[in-house]
Short mmCIF file of all heavy atoms in Angstrom, two decimals:
data_model
loop_
_atom_site.label_atom_id
_atom_site.label_comp_id
_atom_site.label_asym_id
_atom_site.label_seq_id
_atom_site.Cartn_x
_atom_site.Cartn_y
_atom_site.Cartn_z
N HIS A 78 -10.34 18.91 -3.69
CA HIS A 78 -10.24 20.33 -3.34
C HIS A 78 -11.21 21.23 -4.10
O HIS A 78 -10.98 22.43 -4.23
CB HIS A 78 -8.80 20.85 -3.51
CG HIS A 78 -7.79 20.06 -2.75
ND1 HIS A 78 -6.45 20.06 -3.06
CD2 HIS A 78 -7.92 19.23 -1.67
CE1 HIS A 78 -5.79 19.26 -2.24
NE2 HIS A 78 -6.67 18.75 -1.37
N GLY A 79 -12.31 20.64 -4.60
CA GLY A 79 -13.35 21.46 -5.21
C GLY A 79 -13.95 22.42 -4.20
O GLY A 79 -14.28 22.03 -3.07
N ILE A 80 -14.09 23.69 -4.58
CA ILE A 80 -14.61 24.71 -3.68
C ILE A 80 -16.12 24.77 -3.78
O ILE A 80 -16.67 24.97 -4.87
CB ILE A 80 -14.00 26.10 -4.01
CG1 ILE A 80 -12.48 26.07 -3.84
CG2 ILE A 80 -14.62 27.17 -3.12
CD1 ILE A 80 -11.79 27.35 -4.29
N PRO A 81 -16.86 24.59 -2.68
CA PRO A 81 -18.32 24.65 -2.72
C PRO A 81 -18.82 26.00 -3.25
O PRO A 81 -18.22 27.05 -2.99
CB PRO A 81 -18.72 24.44 -1.26
CG PRO A 81 -17.58 23.72 -0.65
CD PRO A 81 -16.36 24.25 -1.33
N SER A 82 -19.94 25.94 -3.98
CA SER A 82 -20.50 27.15 -4.59
C SER A 82 -22.02 27.09 -4.58
O SER A 82 -22.61 26.02 -4.79
CB SER A 82 -20.02 27.29 -6.04
OG SER A 82 -20.76 28.26 -6.74
N LYS A 83 -22.65 28.24 -4.36
CA LYS A 83 -24.12 28.33 -4.43
C LYS A 83 -24.62 28.17 -5.87
O LYS A 83 -25.81 28.01 -6.08
CB LYS A 83 -24.57 29.66 -3.86
CG LYS A 83 -24.37 29.80 -2.36
CD LYS A 83 -24.89 31.11 -1.82
CE LYS A 83 -24.73 31.19 -0.30
NZ LYS A 83 -25.23 32.46 0.26
N TYR A 84 -23.70 28.21 -6.82
CA TYR A 84 -24.08 28.14 -8.24
C TYR A 84 -23.80 26.79 -8.88
O TYR A 84 -24.13 26.57 -10.04
CB TYR A 84 -23.35 29.24 -9.02
CG TYR A 84 -23.59 30.61 -8.43
CD1 TYR A 84 -22.61 31.23 -7.65
CD2 TYR A 84 -24.80 31.27 -8.60
CE1 TYR A 84 -22.82 32.47 -7.08
CE2 TYR A 84 -25.03 32.52 -8.03
CZ TYR A 84 -24.03 33.10 -7.27
OH TYR A 84 -24.26 34.34 -6.70
N ARG A 85 -23.17 25.88 -8.11
CA ARG A 85 -22.86 24.54 -8.65
C ARG A 85 -23.94 23.57 -8.16
O ARG A 85 -23.99 23.24 -6.97
CB ARG A 85 -21.47 24.09 -8.18
CG ARG A 85 -21.02 22.74 -8.77
CD ARG A 85 -20.77 22.87 -10.25
NE ARG A 85 -20.42 21.62 -10.88
CZ ARG A 85 -19.19 21.13 -10.95
NH1 ARG A 85 -18.18 21.76 -10.38
NH2 ARG A 85 -18.97 20.00 -11.59
N ILE A 86 -24.81 23.16 -9.07
CA ILE A 86 -25.94 22.30 -8.72
C ILE A 86 -25.60 20.85 -9.03
O ILE A 86 -25.13 20.53 -10.13
CB ILE A 86 -27.21 22.75 -9.47
CG1 ILE A 86 -27.58 24.19 -9.08
CG2 ILE A 86 -28.37 21.79 -9.18
CD1 ILE A 86 -28.69 24.78 -9.92
N ILE A 87 -25.85 19.99 -8.07
CA ILE A 87 -25.60 18.56 -8.24
C ILE A 87 -26.71 17.96 -9.11
O ILE A 87 -27.90 18.18 -8.86
CB ILE A 87 -25.56 17.85 -6.86
CG1 ILE A 87 -24.45 18.44 -5.98
CG2 ILE A 87 -25.37 16.35 -7.03
CD1 ILE A 87 -23.07 18.27 -6.53
N GLN A 88 -26.32 17.17 -10.10
CA GLN A 88 -27.26 16.56 -11.04
C GLN A 88 -27.35 15.06 -10.80
O GLN A 88 -26.38 14.44 -10.35
CB GLN A 88 -26.81 16.81 -12.48
CG GLN A 88 -26.47 18.25 -12.81
CD GLN A 88 -27.68 19.11 -13.02
OE1 GLN A 88 -28.80 18.61 -13.18
NE2 GLN A 88 -27.50 20.43 -13.01
N GLU A 89 -28.48 14.49 -11.15
CA GLU A 89 -28.60 13.03 -11.12
C GLU A 89 -27.58 12.44 -12.08
O GLU A 89 -27.39 12.92 -13.19
CB GLU A 89 -30.02 12.61 -11.53
CG GLU A 89 -30.35 11.19 -11.16
CD GLU A 89 -31.85 10.92 -11.21
OE1 GLU A 89 -32.54 11.21 -10.21
OE2 GLU A 89 -32.30 10.41 -12.24
N GLY A 90 -26.90 11.39 -11.63
CA GLY A 90 -25.86 10.76 -12.45
C GLY A 90 -24.46 11.25 -12.14
O GLY A 90 -23.48 10.66 -12.60
N ASP A 91 -24.36 12.35 -11.37
CA ASP A 91 -23.04 12.84 -10.96
C ASP A 91 -22.42 11.91 -9.93
O ASP A 91 -23.13 11.20 -9.20
CB ASP A 91 -23.15 14.23 -10.30
CG ASP A 91 -23.37 15.36 -11.30
OD1 ASP A 91 -23.11 15.16 -12.50
OD2 ASP A 91 -23.80 16.45 -10.86
N ILE A 92 -21.09 11.93 -9.84
CA ILE A 92 -20.42 11.36 -8.66
C ILE A 92 -19.75 12.53 -7.93
O ILE A 92 -19.18 13.43 -8.54
CB ILE A 92 -19.43 10.24 -9.01
CG1 ILE A 92 -18.22 10.73 -9.82
CG2 ILE A 92 -20.14 9.12 -9.75
CD1 ILE A 92 -17.12 9.68 -9.97
N VAL A 93 -19.88 12.49 -6.60
CA VAL A 93 -19.45 13.61 -5.76
C VAL A 93 -18.51 13.11 -4.68
O VAL A 93 -18.87 12.24 -3.88
CB VAL A 93 -20.67 14.31 -5.12
CG1 VAL A 93 -20.22 15.48 -4.26
CG2 VAL A 93 -21.65 14.79 -6.19
N SER A 94 -17.30 13.65 -4.67
CA SER A 94 -16.32 13.29 -3.63
C SER A 94 -16.34 14.33 -2.53
O SER A 94 -16.24 15.54 -2.81
CB SER A 94 -14.91 13.21 -4.24
OG SER A 94 -14.83 12.18 -5.20
N LEU A 95 -16.47 13.87 -1.30
CA LEU A 95 -16.50 14.75 -0.12
C LEU A 95 -15.28 14.44 0.73
O LEU A 95 -15.13 13.33 1.25
CB LEU A 95 -17.77 14.52 0.70
CG LEU A 95 -19.10 14.64 -0.05
CD1 LEU A 95 -20.27 14.37 0.89
CD2 LEU A 95 -19.24 15.99 -0.71
N ASP A 96 -14.41 15.42 0.87
CA ASP A 96 -13.22 15.30 1.71
C ASP A 96 -13.37 16.31 2.83
O ASP A 96 -13.58 17.50 2.58
CB ASP A 96 -11.98 15.60 0.86
CG ASP A 96 -10.67 15.36 1.60
OD1 ASP A 96 -10.71 14.84 2.73
OD2 ASP A 96 -9.61 15.69 1.04
N MET A 97 -13.33 15.83 4.06
CA MET A 97 -13.50 16.74 5.20
C MET A 97 -12.66 16.30 6.39
O MET A 97 -12.27 15.13 6.50
CB MET A 97 -14.98 16.87 5.58
CG MET A 97 -15.65 15.62 6.05
SD MET A 97 -17.41 15.87 6.46
CE MET A 97 -18.20 15.43 4.91
N GLY A 98 -12.41 17.26 7.26
CA GLY A 98 -11.66 16.97 8.47
C GLY A 98 -12.20 17.78 9.62
O GLY A 98 -12.90 18.78 9.42
N LEU A 99 -11.87 17.36 10.82
CA LEU A 99 -12.29 18.11 12.01
C LEU A 99 -11.23 18.03 13.08
O LEU A 99 -10.34 17.17 13.05
CB LEU A 99 -13.65 17.62 12.51
CG LEU A 99 -13.82 16.15 12.91
CD1 LEU A 99 -13.25 15.84 14.29
CD2 LEU A 99 -15.30 15.78 12.90
N ILE A 100 -11.33 18.97 14.01
CA ILE A 100 -10.41 19.02 15.15
C ILE A 100 -11.21 18.81 16.43
O ILE A 100 -12.19 19.51 16.68
CB ILE A 100 -9.69 20.39 15.22
CG1 ILE A 100 -9.02 20.72 13.90
CG2 ILE A 100 -8.68 20.38 16.37
CD1 ILE A 100 -8.55 22.16 13.79
N TYR A 101 -10.78 17.82 17.21
CA TYR A 101 -11.38 17.54 18.51
C TYR A 101 -10.29 17.68 19.57
O TYR A 101 -9.30 16.94 19.56
CB TYR A 101 -11.97 16.13 18.54
CG TYR A 101 -12.49 15.70 19.89
CD1 TYR A 101 -13.71 16.16 20.36
CD2 TYR A 101 -11.74 14.84 20.70
CE1 TYR A 101 -14.19 15.78 21.61
CE2 TYR A 101 -12.20 14.46 21.95
CZ TYR A 101 -13.42 14.93 22.41
OH TYR A 101 -13.88 14.56 23.65
N LYS A 102 -10.46 18.68 20.43
CA LYS A 102 -9.50 18.92 21.52
C LYS A 102 -8.06 18.95 21.01
O LYS A 102 -7.15 18.37 21.62
CB LYS A 102 -9.68 17.89 22.64
CG LYS A 102 -11.03 18.00 23.32
CD LYS A 102 -11.14 17.11 24.55
CE LYS A 102 -12.49 17.30 25.25
NZ LYS A 102 -12.64 16.44 26.44
N GLY A 103 -7.87 19.63 19.88
CA GLY A 103 -6.53 19.84 19.35
C GLY A 103 -6.01 18.77 18.41
O GLY A 103 -4.89 18.89 17.91
N TYR A 104 -6.81 17.73 18.16
CA TYR A 104 -6.35 16.64 17.31
C TYR A 104 -7.27 16.43 16.11
O TYR A 104 -8.49 16.54 16.20
CB TYR A 104 -6.21 15.34 18.13
CG TYR A 104 -4.96 15.41 18.97
CD1 TYR A 104 -4.99 16.03 20.22
CD2 TYR A 104 -3.74 14.95 18.49
CE1 TYR A 104 -3.83 16.16 20.99
CE2 TYR A 104 -2.58 15.08 19.25
CZ TYR A 104 -2.63 15.68 20.49
OH TYR A 104 -1.49 15.82 21.22
N HIS A 105 -6.64 16.11 14.97
CA HIS A 105 -7.33 16.07 13.69
C HIS A 105 -7.78 14.65 13.31
O HIS A 105 -7.16 13.66 13.67
CB HIS A 105 -6.39 16.56 12.58
CG HIS A 105 -6.09 18.01 12.65
ND1 HIS A 105 -6.67 18.94 11.82
CD2 HIS A 105 -5.26 18.72 13.47
CE1 HIS A 105 -6.21 20.15 12.10
NE2 HIS A 105 -5.35 20.04 13.11
N SER A 106 -8.85 14.63 12.52
CA SER A 106 -9.24 13.44 11.78
C SER A 106 -9.55 13.89 10.36
O SER A 106 -10.03 15.00 10.15
CB SER A 106 -10.46 12.78 12.41
OG SER A 106 -10.78 11.58 11.73
N ASP A 107 -9.28 13.03 9.39
CA ASP A 107 -9.42 13.38 7.97
C ASP A 107 -9.96 12.16 7.24
O ASP A 107 -9.46 11.04 7.43
CB ASP A 107 -8.03 13.78 7.43
CG ASP A 107 -8.04 14.38 6.05
OD1 ASP A 107 -9.13 14.57 5.48
OD2 ASP A 107 -6.94 14.69 5.54
N ALA A 108 -11.01 12.35 6.42
CA ALA A 108 -11.60 11.22 5.70
C ALA A 108 -12.32 11.72 4.45
O ALA A 108 -12.78 12.86 4.41
CB ALA A 108 -12.58 10.45 6.59
N ALA A 109 -12.41 10.87 3.44
CA ALA A 109 -13.09 11.21 2.19
C ALA A 109 -13.91 10.03 1.70
O ALA A 109 -13.56 8.87 1.94
CB ALA A 109 -12.08 11.63 1.13
N ARG A 110 -14.99 10.37 1.00
CA ARG A 110 -15.88 9.38 0.39
C ARG A 110 -16.34 9.91 -0.97
O ARG A 110 -16.49 11.12 -1.14
CB ARG A 110 -17.13 9.12 1.24
CG ARG A 110 -16.88 8.84 2.73
CD ARG A 110 -16.46 7.41 2.95
NE ARG A 110 -16.37 7.11 4.38
CZ ARG A 110 -15.24 7.13 5.08
NH1 ARG A 110 -14.10 7.47 4.51
NH2 ARG A 110 -15.24 6.83 6.37
N THR A 111 -16.62 9.01 -1.91
CA THR A 111 -17.24 9.40 -3.17
C THR A 111 -18.60 8.72 -3.27
O THR A 111 -18.72 7.52 -3.02
CB THR A 111 -16.36 9.01 -4.38
OG1 THR A 111 -15.09 9.66 -4.26
CG2 THR A 111 -17.02 9.43 -5.69
N HIS A 112 -19.62 9.50 -3.63
CA HIS A 112 -21.01 9.02 -3.69
C HIS A 112 -21.60 9.26 -5.08
O HIS A 112 -21.33 10.29 -5.71
CB HIS A 112 -21.87 9.76 -2.67
CG HIS A 112 -21.36 9.69 -1.27
ND1 HIS A 112 -21.40 8.53 -0.52
CD2 HIS A 112 -20.79 10.64 -0.47
CE1 HIS A 112 -20.88 8.76 0.68
NE2 HIS A 112 -20.50 10.03 0.73
N GLY A 113 -22.45 8.34 -5.51
CA GLY A 113 -23.23 8.54 -6.72
C GLY A 113 -24.54 9.24 -6.37
O GLY A 113 -25.12 8.97 -5.32
N ILE A 114 -24.98 10.14 -7.23
CA ILE A 114 -26.24 10.85 -7.02
C ILE A 114 -27.31 10.21 -7.92
O ILE A 114 -27.24 10.33 -9.15
CB ILE A 114 -26.09 12.35 -7.35
CG1 ILE A 114 -24.93 12.97 -6.56
CG2 ILE A 114 -27.41 13.08 -7.07
CD1 ILE A 114 -25.06 12.88 -5.05
N GLY A 115 -28.27 9.53 -7.30
CA GLY A 115 -29.29 8.81 -8.06
C GLY A 115 -28.65 7.70 -8.87
O GLY A 115 -27.55 7.23 -8.55
N PRO A 116 -29.31 7.25 -9.93
CA PRO A 116 -28.71 6.22 -10.79
C PRO A 116 -27.46 6.76 -11.47
O PRO A 116 -27.47 7.85 -12.02
CB PRO A 116 -29.82 5.94 -11.82
CG PRO A 116 -31.08 6.48 -11.24
CD PRO A 116 -30.67 7.64 -10.39
N ILE A 117 -26.39 6.00 -11.41
CA ILE A 117 -25.15 6.38 -12.09
C ILE A 117 -24.73 5.26 -13.02
O ILE A 117 -25.23 4.14 -12.93
CB ILE A 117 -24.01 6.71 -11.09
CG1 ILE A 117 -23.67 5.48 -10.21
CG2 ILE A 117 -24.38 7.90 -10.22
CD1 ILE A 117 -22.45 5.69 -9.31
N SER A 118 -23.80 5.56 -13.93
CA SER A 118 -23.35 4.55 -14.88
C SER A 118 -22.63 3.42 -14.16
O SER A 118 -22.07 3.60 -13.08
CB SER A 118 -22.42 5.19 -15.91
OG SER A 118 -21.19 5.58 -15.30
N GLU A 119 -22.62 2.26 -14.80
CA GLU A 119 -21.90 1.12 -14.23
C GLU A 119 -20.41 1.43 -14.14
O GLU A 119 -19.75 1.06 -13.17
CB GLU A 119 -22.11 -0.13 -15.10
CG GLU A 119 -21.43 -1.37 -14.53
CD GLU A 119 -21.67 -2.61 -15.37
OE1 GLU A 119 -22.42 -2.54 -16.35
OE2 GLU A 119 -21.07 -3.65 -15.02
N GLU A 120 -19.89 2.15 -15.12
CA GLU A 120 -18.49 2.55 -15.12
C GLU A 120 -18.16 3.40 -13.90
O GLU A 120 -17.15 3.18 -13.22
CB GLU A 120 -18.19 3.34 -16.41
CG GLU A 120 -16.75 3.76 -16.55
CD GLU A 120 -16.51 4.57 -17.81
OE1 GLU A 120 -17.28 5.50 -18.09
OE2 GLU A 120 -15.53 4.26 -18.52
N ALA A 121 -19.05 4.35 -13.58
CA ALA A 121 -18.84 5.22 -12.42
C ALA A 121 -18.95 4.43 -11.12
O ALA A 121 -18.16 4.63 -10.19
CB ALA A 121 -19.85 6.36 -12.43
N ALA A 122 -19.95 3.54 -11.06
CA ALA A 122 -20.15 2.73 -9.85
C ALA A 122 -18.94 1.84 -9.57
O ALA A 122 -18.51 1.69 -8.42
CB ALA A 122 -21.41 1.89 -9.98
N MET A 123 -18.38 1.25 -10.62
CA MET A 123 -17.21 0.40 -10.45
C MET A 123 -16.00 1.21 -10.01
O MET A 123 -15.21 0.76 -9.19
CB MET A 123 -16.91 -0.35 -11.76
CG MET A 123 -17.96 -1.38 -12.13
SD MET A 123 -18.22 -2.63 -10.84
CE MET A 123 -16.67 -3.50 -10.92
N LEU A 124 -15.86 2.42 -10.55
CA LEU A 124 -14.74 3.28 -10.13
C LEU A 124 -14.83 3.58 -8.64
O LEU A 124 -13.83 3.49 -7.92
CB LEU A 124 -14.76 4.59 -10.92
CG LEU A 124 -13.72 5.63 -10.47
CD1 LEU A 124 -12.30 5.16 -10.77
CD2 LEU A 124 -13.99 6.98 -11.12
N ILE A 125 -16.02 3.94 -8.16
CA ILE A 125 -16.20 4.25 -6.74
C ILE A 125 -15.86 3.03 -5.89
O ILE A 125 -15.12 3.13 -4.89
CB ILE A 125 -17.64 4.73 -6.46
CG1 ILE A 125 -17.88 6.09 -7.12
CG2 ILE A 125 -17.90 4.80 -4.96
CD1 ILE A 125 -19.34 6.54 -7.08
N GLU A 126 -16.38 1.88 -6.27
CA GLU A 126 -16.18 0.66 -5.47
C GLU A 126 -14.71 0.23 -5.48
O GLU A 126 -14.15 -0.16 -4.45
CB GLU A 126 -17.06 -0.47 -6.01
CG GLU A 126 -16.98 -1.76 -5.20
CD GLU A 126 -17.28 -1.57 -3.72
OE1 GLU A 126 -18.19 -0.78 -3.39
OE2 GLU A 126 -16.62 -2.23 -2.89
#
Side-chain angles (χ1 to χ4, degrees):
H78 305 159
I80 299 174
S82 167
K83 292 183 178 180
Y84 305 103
R85 184 68 183 274
I86 299 171
I87 300 298
Q88 310 283 345
E89 196 164 276
D91 284 342
I92 66 170
V93 180
S94 296
L95 306 179
D96 186 7
M97 63 181 94
L99 59 78
I100 306 167
Y101 174 78
K102 296 188 177 179
Y104 284 85
H105 290 257
S106 184
D107 190 3
R110 310 280 186 263
T111 301
H112 305 289
I114 306 300
I117 61 174
S118 68
E119 182 179 356
E120 182 182 47
M123 292 303 292
L124 174 68
I125 292 171
E126 184 55 39

